[in-house]
Amino acid sequence: MNTVIEMANLKIGYSPDNILAKIKNLQVKQGEIISIIGESGIGKTTLLKNIANLVKPISGSLKVFDNEQNRGRIGYIPQKLGLVKHETVFFNVLEGAICNESILRSISGFHDDSVLTKVEKSIDLMNLSDKIDEPIKRLSGGQQRRVAIARTMAQEPKLILADEFLSELDNKTVDSVWKTMLDYVERENTTLIIVEHNIERAKLAKRCLKLEQNKEKGYSVLNEVQI
Amino acid sequence: MNIARKKYPIFITFILFTTWLVFVNLVDGDWASLENSLDNLSTFFYESLWPPNWKVIEAQAYPVCDRNWDFLCSPAYIGIMETLKIAFVATGFGFILSLPLATLASRNLYRDSIAIPFRVLLAAMRTLPSIIWAIFFVILVGLGPVSGVLAMTFYTVGYLGKLQYEAIEGLSNDPLDAAKAMGLKNSEIIQRVVIPETANNLISQLFFMFEYNVRHGSVIGIVGAGGIGYYISTYLKFLQYDKVIALLIILFGVVIIIDLASIKARSYFVEDATFKSPNLFGNFFRGKKNK
C-alpha cells in the first residue's frame, strides 16, 4: 500500500514559542481510516490543518503525497463544515467538483458536462436531490453535513480530513452520515482521518491516535491507542 | 474595587476632559467670538438666507426652455439630475475597480507583502478628499461632469475598497480553509467563496456609497466638476444665499429620499432580514446545470 502521510520529529503550533504538539513518527497508508482523539485545545485541529497544508509545521518533516502539489487530492471538512452558507446545495457541491477541471473552465463557469454529472450524482447519493436549489442556511445540521460529504465525493480526493464533522448530531444521524462516508472511502480506497473528542464516535475508525499532554515538556505527544 | 473594573468611566472622563482641553486651546481665549455667534447666525439667516428663493425651480432665462414643464429647465432639476448621474456612474466604476483591489488587500487571501501595498494604495486614494480629486481632474480634463465622475470614482475606490476588504476579512475561516485545502487558486476562491459570502455586504455598501456620492455632489461641483454644486458655487459668488438655501433644501429632500430607498434596499440584502433575499452573485456564478 502507498504511504499517504509521513511525519518525523514534527513540531506543530502557531509559533516556535508556543508548540502545541510533537509527533515523533507516523505513517498513514492509502485506504486507512484513522481517528485522532484528545482533550480540547490539545492540537488536534492544528495537526489536521498541518496535514491540509493550511498551517506550516514549526519544525520536522511532514510529507503528504510526497509533497507533490496536486489539485483536489485533499478533501478537508472543517469543524463548521466550510460551506458557502448563502449559496445552494448545487453551488457548494460544484465547488468540490471543479477540482477535476482546468482553472480556466472553472472560472469561466462553462463547466464540463462530466463535472456537472458528478455533482448531481453526489447530491443524489446523499439523498439531497430535492434540496438541490436550497440555500445551505435553510438546511438542518444533518443535511448540511451530507452536503459537505457530497462536496468531498464530487471532489474525489485521495485523502479526507474531517474535523469533528459528526458533532452536534443525534445518534441516528451519526449512524447514517458515518455509514455513507464509510461506504464511500471503502469503495474508492480513500484515506480518512477524523478528529474527534467523543470516544464512542472515535471507535468508528479502525486505527486510533491520541494526543496526550506531556506536562513536563509543555506540549502534547501523539500515541497510538486501542479503544 | 479593582481599578480595572472602573476602566470605562475613567476612559470616558479622560476623553471628555482631553477634548475640552484641546477645545480651550483652539479658542485661544477668544470667547467673545463664540458669544456673538448666535447673533451673527440670526442676522445672516433673516437677512440673507430666509426665505428661500424658489426661482431655482423655474426655467433659466438662457438657454431657452423647449420642454413642456419649466421645472425641467430649472437649475435645481438640471443640477440634481447631473449630480445623480455623476454619483451613479462614479459608484458603478468605483465598485468595479475597488473589488479586485480589495481582494488583493485582504490578508486572509494574500500574504502581507501583497496585501499591505494595496492597503496603502487604497488609503492614499482615500486620504485626498473628493474635492481635491475634483480640482486635480478639472485641471486634467477641464470643467464639467467628466471631471466630477473621475474625482468621485477615485474617492469611491479608496473608500469602498476599505469597506470591502474589511468585509472579506470578516469572513469565517472555515469555507476559505476548505477551498484552500482542495487546492483551489485564489481567483477561484474569490469567485466561489468570497463573493457569494460577502455579496450582501457588498451590495449594502454599494447603496451606502451611492447615497454618500450624491451628498458629495454639492461639494465637488464647487470647483467646477459639474452637478448641483456648480449652481451652488455660482450663487455663492454672487452672494445669492437665498438661492443657495433653496438648492440645499432640494438636495436635502433628494438625499432623504435616496436614504430611505437605500435603507429599504439595504435591508433586503442584510443578513437575517425578515424576508427572503435574492442571491444576485450566486445566480451569475452558478454556471449551467443539467436538468
Side-chain angles (χ1 to χ4, degrees):
Chain A
M1 271 197 292
N2 293 337
T3 303
V4 174
I5 303 170
E6 266 186 293
M7 297 177 195
N9 297 319
L10 186 73
K11 282 184 184 171
I12 60 167
Y14 288 92
S15 74
D17 306 329
N18 183 17
I19 293 168
L20 275 173
K22 187 177 176 183
I23 296 116
K24 209 170 180 186
N25 200 4
L26 178 72
Q27 283 201 341
V28 178
K29 303 278 185 194
Q30 187 67 51
E32 278 195 285
I33 298 170
I34 296 174
S35 62
I36 300 174
I37 57 171
E39 292 163 16
S40 292
I42 208 155
K44 303 187 294 290
T45 298
T46 312
L47 176 58
L48 223 55
K49 285 188 175 181
N50 272 265
I51 299 170
N53 199 21
L54 295 169
V55 177
K56 297 277 173 226
I58 305 283
S59 66
S61 158
L62 169 62
K63 283 184 186 171
V64 182
F65 296 113
D66 279 330
N67 289 349
E68 281 174 26
Q69 296 293 318
N70 213 330
R71 190 172 154 87
R73 266 193 187 176
I74 301 174
Y76 177 53
I77 306 176
Q79 258 178 40
K80 289 177 187 162
L81 307 173
L83 297 169
V84 181
K85 294 254 162 84
H86 292 91
E87 275 302 342
T88 62
V89 171
F90 180 85
F91 186 94
N92 274 275
V93 179
L94 182 62
E95 188 191 341
I98 59 168
C99 293
N100 301 305
E101 64 181 4
S102 70
I103 296 166
L104 198 65
R105 259 192 182 279
S106 142
I107 290 178
S108 69
F110 293 105
H111 302 290
D112 203 76
D113 278 347
S114 66
V115 166
L116 297 169
T117 310
K118 206 176 284 177
V119 172
E120 291 188 339
K121 205 176 145 190
S122 305
I123 292 172
D124 199 33
L125 269 171
M126 288 291 110
N127 291 326
L128 286 165
S129 296
D130 56 329
K131 304 278 180 196
I132 192 163
D133 289 320
E134 200 77 12
I136 298 299
K137 58 185 177 184
R138 288 206 213 126
L139 302 181
S140 69
Q143 285 169 334
Q144 291 189 10
R145 272 156 184 83
R146 288 215 292 272
V147 176
I149 298 173
R151 181 183 62 187
T152 310
M153 282 180 177
Q155 184 191 338
E156 294 178 343
K158 291 286 159 212
L159 167 65
I160 299 174
L161 307 167
D163 193 353
E164 294 187 23
F165 83 119
L166 297 172
S167 58
E168 297 170 27
L169 292 180
D170 58 83
N171 288 341
K172 195 180 158 195
T173 317
V174 166
D175 288 346
S176 100
V177 171
W178 178 252
K179 189 180 174 310
T180 316
M181 180 65 109
L182 210 59
D183 286 347
Y184 174 77
V185 294
E186 282 177 351
R187 191 173 63 244
E188 302 292 329
N189 193 30
T190 306
T191 308
L192 171 65
I193 301 179
I194 59 164
V195 157
E196 263 301 337
H197 65 247
N198 182 311
I199 300 288
E200 288 308 310
R201 287 201 290 261
K203 280 180 185 170
L204 298 169
K206 290 168 186 169
R207 187 178 165 197
C208 184
L209 304 168
K210 188 175 186 183
L211 270 173
E212 288 174 298
Q213 190 69 33
N214 184 327
K215 282 183 182 163
E216 281 174 22
K217 292 178 178 168
Y219 50 73
S220 55
V221 289
L222 191 69
N223 296 314
E224 190 131 5
V225 290
Q226 297 293 326
I227 52 173
Chain B
M1 193 190 220
N2 189 334
I3 191 89
R5 289 181 194 160
K6 291 182 183 171
K7 63 184 175 185
Y8 292 114
I10 291 171
F11 179 70
I12 290 165
T13 312
F14 173 76
I15 291 289
L16 290 175
F17 185 66
T18 314
T19 309
W20 177 250
L21 278 184
V22 174
F23 179 65
V24 168
N25 176 265
L26 286 173
V27 172
D28 200 19
D30 188 15
W31 294 100
S33 62
L34 279 176
E35 283 166 21
N36 298 333
S37 61
L38 273 180
D39 288 342
N40 291 342
L41 177 66
S42 172
T43 311
F44 180 58
F45 187 81
Y46 288 109
E47 286 184 8
S48 302
L49 287 180
W50 209 258
N53 186 340
W54 294 110
K55 279 197 170 152
V56 293
I57 58 168
E58 291 171 13
Q60 298 176 107
Y62 183 83
V64 178
C65 185
D66 54 0
R67 299 190 182 179
N68 292 337
W69 294 309
D70 277 3
F71 174 69
L72 298 181
C73 300
S74 67
Y77 177 79
I78 295 169
I80 285 284
M81 284 314 289
E82 196 165 86
T83 294
L84 286 174
K85 285 179 196 168
I86 292 171
F88 180 77
V89 175
T91 311
F93 282 164
F95 181 80
I96 293 163
L97 291 171
S98 65
L99 193 55
L101 294 176
T103 53
L104 286 161
S106 303
R107 294 167 82 178
N108 53 350
L109 293 176
Y110 292 93
R111 56 180 187 274
D112 281 2
S113 57
I114 295 174
I116 289 174
F118 280 99
R119 279 173 183 237
V120 172
L121 174 70
L122 290 172
M125 293 174 97
R126 218 169 41 243
T127 305
L128 290 186
S130 48
I131 193 163
I132 304 291
W133 283 115
I135 293 169
F136 178 71
F137 283 111
V138 164
I139 295 165
L140 238 67
V141 298
L143 295 168
V146 176
S147 51
V149 166
L150 291 170
M152 262 192 196
T153 302
F154 265 71
Y155 186 74
T156 301
V157 170
Y159 201 96
L160 208 50
K162 181 182 166 63
L163 294 175
Q164 288 170 343
Y165 77 66
E166 281 177 352
I168 294 170
E169 288 183 349
L171 272 178
S172 159
N173 275 334
D174 276 3
L176 294 174
D177 281 351
K180 284 177 192 169
M182 281 178 203
L184 298 188
K185 300 288 174 200
N186 267 343
S187 50
E188 292 173 294
I189 295 175
I190 290 163
Q191 187 190 13
R192 303 210 65 85
V193 179
V194 173
I195 291 178
E197 284 290 80
T198 53
N200 289 351
N201 274 335
L202 298 183
I203 292 168
S204 166
Q205 290 160 1
L206 190 67
F207 285 121
F208 168 77
M209 203 66 220
F210 174 63
E211 175 209 321
Y212 181 91
N213 281 342
V214 172
R215 274 185 279 131
H216 263 235
S218 59
V219 179
I220 62 156
I222 288 173
V223 294
I228 198 163
Y230 166 76
Y231 292 98
I232 291 175
S233 76
T234 307
Y235 294 143
L236 281 175
K237 272 181 209 157
F238 294 102
L239 307 178
Q240 293 175 313
Y241 297 117
D242 51 351
K243 284 188 176 175
V244 172
I245 195 78
L247 282 184
L248 289 178
I249 289 169
I250 292 166
L251 182 65
F252 177 69
V254 171
V255 168
I256 292 285
I257 293 166
I258 293 172
D259 197 21
L260 291 174
S262 164
I263 288 169
K264 186 83 183 159
R266 279 156 68 190
S267 74
Y268 200 53
F269 293 100
V270 165
E271 194 77 351
D272 299 326
T274 48
F275 34 82
K276 184 183 170 188
S277 60
N279 226 325
L280 294 181
F281 286 104
N283 292 333
F284 285 139
F285 293 123
R286 186 178 299 159
K288 61 176 180 173
K289 189 183 74 157
N290 290 342
K291 287 279 175 194

